[in-house]
Amino acid sequence: VVSTQSTEAVVSTQSTGNIDFDIPSEHQLSVRRVFYHWQFTVFCYLINFIVCFGMICKLGTKAGSAFGLSLLYAGLFIPLSFLTWYRMLYNAVRQDSSLRYMLFFFFYGLQIVVSLFGALGIPGGGFAGWITAFKTMEENKGLGVMGILVSLAWCADCLIAVYLI
């Protein structure tokens, strides 16, 4: 009986999650940079949530909507950002898929808009950005300074995203 199976290695269509293994060497640096940017974005969402939590503790119910929305943003946007822009780029590069590239650029563009809103910090909008930080500074200097740090983080997040595109 003669076997018709080839002795060549079968290329897996499953991702291992290892950039060194899955991603062609000419794209590894780009994918790593976007991954580091995703980690920084997670940091921004989390410190934004912490500052909004501090605002509701110190300022009471008038900061309630900011706290609630920051909780929603952290809980929803962290996993969605991983799936919609980091993982989308990872799979686009791994599979050389133009549709995935297009989706990555669309969702990454949305992340830039979210970062701009985070930096701006419209009162009651769930972000402790510039406007919210300076309004909070009138009542609590410590929270105001923390809000300015969050604003700077969101500005850096936006600039990093624009640079990486």
Side-chain angles (χ1 to χ4, degrees), residues 70-145:
S70 71
L71 177 63
L72 177 71
Y73 297 158
L76 187 64
F77 288 172
I78 289 173
L80 283 179
S81 65
F82 181 82
L83 294 173
T84 58
W85 54 267
Y86 169 68
R87 197 66 184 171
M88 196 64 64
L89 175 68
Y90 187 93
N91 287 328
V93 171
R94 189 172 69 83
Q95 299 169 355
D96 197 25
S97 168
S98 59
L99 175 64
R100 290 181 191 264
Y101 274 116
M102 183 188 69
L103 290 171
F104 161 74
F105 283 114
F106 174 75
F107 287 115
Y108 206 61
L110 287 179
Q111 177 59 43
I112 292 171
V113 172
V114 170
S115 296
L116 286 172
F117 277 112
L120 188 58
I122 298 168
F127 290 109
W130 293 111
I131 297 171
T132 303
F134 286 118
K135 285 189 181 228
T136 304
M137 186 82 74
E138 297 168 359
E139 296 182 38
N140 190 310
K141 299 250 188 259
L143 277 175
V145 169

Side-chain angles (χ1 to χ4, degrees), residues 7-161:
T7 58
E8 295 178 21
V10 177
V11 176
S12 174
T13 58
Q14 294 288 333
S15 171
T16 64
N18 185 345
I19 291 174
D20 292 328
F21 181 73
D22 286 341
I23 305 300
S25 60
E26 64 269 12
H27 299 293
Q28 288 178 3
L29 182 62
S30 299
V31 173
R32 267 198 188 84
R33 285 180 177 169
V34 171
F35 179 68
Y36 297 146
H37 177 237
W38 176 76
Q39 289 178 323
F40 184 71
T41 301
V42 169
F43 171 75
C44 289
Y45 282 118
L46 293 178
I47 63 166
N48 182 68
F49 169 74
I50 291 168
V51 170
C52 288
F53 180 71
M55 287 169 51
I56 198 168
C57 290
K58 290 286 186 183
L59 305 178
T61 57
K62 63 181 170 182
S65 64
F67 170 71
L69 287 172
S70 71
L71 177 63
L72 177 71
Y73 297 158
L76 187 64
F77 288 172
I78 289 173
L80 283 179
S81 65
F82 181 82
L83 294 173
T84 58
W85 54 267
Y86 169 68
R87 197 66 184 171
M88 196 64 64
L89 175 68
Y90 187 93
N91 287 328
V93 171
R94 189 172 69 83
Q95 299 169 355
D96 197 25
S97 168
S98 59
L99 175 64
R100 290 181 191 264
Y101 274 116
M102 183 188 69
L103 290 171
F104 161 74
F105 283 114
F106 174 75
F107 287 115
Y108 206 61
L110 287 179
Q111 177 59 43
I112 292 171
V113 172
V114 170
S115 296
L116 286 172
F117 277 112
L120 188 58
I122 298 168
F127 290 109
W130 293 111
I131 297 171
T132 303
F134 286 118
K135 285 189 181 228
T136 304
M137 186 82 74
E138 297 168 359
E139 296 182 38
N140 190 310
K141 299 250 188 259
L143 277 175
V145 169
M146 290 175 64
I148 290 172
L149 294 175
V150 171
S151 304
L152 290 171
W154 282 118
C155 287
D157 189 67
C158 184
L159 290 173
I160 291 167

